[in-house]
Amino acid sequence: MITLAPKVTEEHKRQRRADIIAAAKTVFYRIGYLKTTMQDVIDEVGLSRGAVYDYFGNKSELFRAVVDAQDVSVFKLYDDILQARPIWPALVENILDPFERYNENAPLEIGAHIEFVLETRDDNERLTWVVERYQRFVTSFTEIFQTGISIGEFAPLLPADVIARFTLSAMDGIHMGVMAAGVNVIEAAAQTGALRKFLLDNLRPLQAE
Amino acid sequence: MITLAPKVTEEHKRQRRADIIAAAKTVFYRIGYLKTTMQDVIDEVGLSRGAVYDYFGNKSELFRAVVDAQDVSVFKLYDDILQARPIWPALVENILDPFERYNENAPLEIGAHIEFVLETRDDNERLTWVVERYQRFVTSFTEIFQTGISIGEFAPLLPADVIARFTLSAMDGIHMGVMAAGVNVIEAAAQTGALRKFLLDNLRPLQAE
């Protein structure tokens, strides 16, 4: 019995932390990062101020926890690409298709992310998180491209990490346009088509349409 | 004599307006858009509060005036490309090279622009300005590409306006990376190389290296 007690408490803590993250996600993506206060999140989750602060010291920590939680499923998708044969259709299905859906459906999420990144510039701890997250995406894309090379599916014309970095920038730029002017004004779908063509021309996958 | 008086006044007004814009530019690019107040600009230009408000009603108007003034020389560069034969080397010299220098030298300018764009989302007047400016860039790039097609120098593989939109997004995304993580972390120069390759592959200029 004694050995069970801490286990329940840990489970309870994990659940409470997940509840706070879920509430924070709702608030951040409804009103944006800059306008959100800790009090908004406290109201949304329906816990005491002290209970929330036990888990997260400030808004920035909360936002990073929201993004980290989302990234788990994003990187899971990327891992699935590494196992797929051939890789190219899985890359389209797990990177480009979700990107296109995200542009259509998540302008508020995109805006909150950009707001957060803007605020990081004066804060070393947050800057470290942004840079490490960026490197994780570069590494993940590069690993996908390298795997394609090693199995003889891709024959790239640029270094794999440059293709990765440029792909991430193109996606960020399209996100920024969606946030600033809207998905229709910037013709995001046609731009995703151009990104797809960039990847086809530079990875040169075998048997791709 | 009477006919001269208004002319002097107009000249004086134009100069004063230019002085305010120059002071605002200094402040915006030193401390960012969000942190700048009208009072900062008033202090920088050394005029009375009333004198500054005679010209600009708020910070957003001032920022747009700063960008409009800069855009005059940017669009002048783009017009020069239209006259150049062949077009491709002029396009590299007047778009890609300045873009690369800007990434190296102007992280604070880039940050201020992104801050301004973020703030526009809740304001129809500003949103109109952002969208119109975006369309002006799309039109200008598209016109350059179309001119290259009409003189037989370019044989593009994507619609000219899609190449224009994607190029602008790639530049925005690289700007965002420079602002968020720094020009070295994101390897901006290598990414500009990838953008150059995208343009070469899709415009297919004759005689380009």
Side-chain angles (χ1 to χ4, degrees):
Chain A
M1 288 303 179
I2 288 164
T3 54
L4 274 176
K7 211 176 164 190
V8 173
T9 308
E10 280 308 311
E11 176 56 32
H12 179 75
K13 276 189 188 168
R14 205 164 29 240
Q15 185 56 52
R16 180 161 280 198
R17 191 172 185 279
D19 290 344
I20 299 169
I21 290 174
K25 183 175 172 177
T26 302
V27 178
F28 283 132
Y29 294 163
R30 188 170 60 214
I31 64 177
Y33 177 74
L34 293 174
K35 283 184 189 153
T36 294
T37 64
M38 285 296 275
Q39 190 59 51
D40 293 329
V41 177
I42 291 161
D43 294 343
E44 179 79 20
V45 73
L47 293 170
S48 73
R49 193 170 181 81
V52 171
Y53 274 97
D54 276 349
Y55 292 83
F56 300 99
N58 55 53
K59 186 170 82 164
S60 165
E61 279 181 25
L62 252 176
F63 190 80
R64 282 175 275 164
V66 168
V67 177
D68 286 339
Q70 287 187 293
D71 281 351
V72 171
S73 35
V74 171
F75 286 107
K76 172 75 183 59
L77 277 181
Y78 296 170
D79 280 345
D80 291 346
I81 303 175
L82 290 177
Q83 311 306 322
R85 300 290 180 271
I87 286 178
W88 174 255
L91 188 154
V92 171
E93 192 180 322
N94 288 9
I95 297 180
L96 295 182
D97 291 348
F99 173 71
E100 197 156 353
R101 285 196 298 273
Y102 197 66
N103 285 326
E104 293 287 343
N105 302 323
L108 295 172
E109 298 195 23
I110 293 167
H113 278 259
I114 297 175
E115 286 179 349
F116 176 80
V117 166
L118 266 171
E119 273 235 332
T120 61
R121 286 171 301 164
D122 303 328
D123 178 315
N124 270 331
E125 186 190 333
R126 281 183 281 174
L127 183 59
T128 302
W129 182 87
V130 167
V131 170
E132 283 177 1
R133 183 167 184 260
Y134 174 73
Q135 302 289 21
R136 216 154 60 230
F137 275 93
V138 172
T139 302
S140 188
F141 279 28
T142 304
E143 202 181 352
I144 291 166
F145 302 157
Q146 296 285 14
T147 303
I149 297 165
S150 71
I151 63 168
E153 184 184 337
F154 296 161
L157 294 176
L158 282 172
D161 77 291
V162 174
I163 301 176
R165 289 172 193 283
F166 184 75
T167 300
L168 287 165
S169 288
M171 292 168 97
D172 278 347
I174 293 168
H175 276 167
M176 199 154 109
V178 167
M179 185 273 296
V183 66
N184 295 323
V185 167
I186 72 154
E187 296 182 18
Q191 292 200 46
T192 305
L195 174 58
R196 188 173 185 280
K197 185 167 182 307
F198 169 81
L199 288 168
L200 279 171
D201 288 345
N202 287 286
L203 295 172
R204 298 193 300 161
L206 293 170
Q207 305 172 306
E209 344 75 291
Chain B
M1 287 301 177
I2 289 164
T3 55
L4 274 177
K7 210 176 166 189
V8 171
T9 307
E10 280 308 309
E11 176 57 29
H12 178 75
K13 275 189 190 170
R14 208 167 23 242
Q15 185 57 51
R16 179 160 280 198
R17 191 172 185 280
D19 291 344
I20 299 169
I21 290 174
K25 182 176 174 177
T26 303
V27 178
F28 282 132
Y29 293 163
R30 189 168 60 213
I31 64 176
Y33 177 74
L34 292 174
K35 285 185 188 153
T36 294
T37 64
M38 286 296 276
Q39 190 58 51
D40 293 328
V41 177
I42 291 161
D43 294 343
E44 178 79 23
V45 73
L47 293 169
S48 73
R49 192 168 180 82
V52 171
Y53 274 97
D54 276 351
Y55 292 83
F56 300 98
N58 55 51
K59 186 168 84 162
S60 164
E61 279 182 25
L62 252 175
F63 190 81
R64 283 176 273 163
V66 167
V67 177
D68 285 340
Q70 287 187 293
D71 281 351
V72 171
S73 36
V74 171
F75 285 107
K76 173 76 181 62
L77 276 181
Y78 297 169
D79 280 344
D80 290 347
I81 303 175
L82 289 177
Q83 312 306 323
R85 299 293 179 270
I87 286 179
W88 176 254
L91 188 155
V92 172
E93 192 181 322
N94 289 9
I95 297 179
L96 295 181
D97 291 348
F99 173 70
E100 198 156 353
R101 285 195 298 273
Y102 197 66
N103 284 327
E104 293 287 343
N105 302 323
L108 295 172
E109 297 195 25
I110 292 167
H113 278 258
I114 297 175
E115 286 179 350
F116 175 80
V117 167
L118 266 172
E119 274 236 333
T120 59
R121 286 171 301 165
D122 303 327
D123 179 315
N124 271 332
E125 186 191 335
R126 282 184 281 173
L127 183 58
T128 302
W129 183 87
V130 166
V131 169
E132 283 177 0
R133 183 167 183 261
Y134 174 73
Q135 303 289 21
R136 215 152 61 230
F137 275 92
V138 172
T139 303
S140 187
F141 279 28
T142 303
E143 201 181 353
I144 292 166
F145 303 155
Q146 295 286 15
T147 303
I149 297 165
S150 72
I151 64 169
E153 184 184 339
F154 296 161
L157 293 177
L158 283 172
D161 78 290
V162 174
I163 302 176
R165 288 171 193 282
F166 185 75
T167 300
L168 287 165
S169 288
M171 293 168 97
D172 279 346
I174 294 168
H175 276 166
M176 199 155 110
V178 167
M179 185 274 295
V183 67
N184 294 323
V185 166
I186 71 153
E187 296 182 18
Q191 292 199 47
T192 307
L195 175 58
R196 186 173 186 283
K197 184 167 183 307
F198 170 81
L199 288 168
L200 278 170
D201 289 345
N202 287 287
L203 294 172
R204 298 193 300 162
L206 292 173
Q207 304 174 307
E209 345 76 290

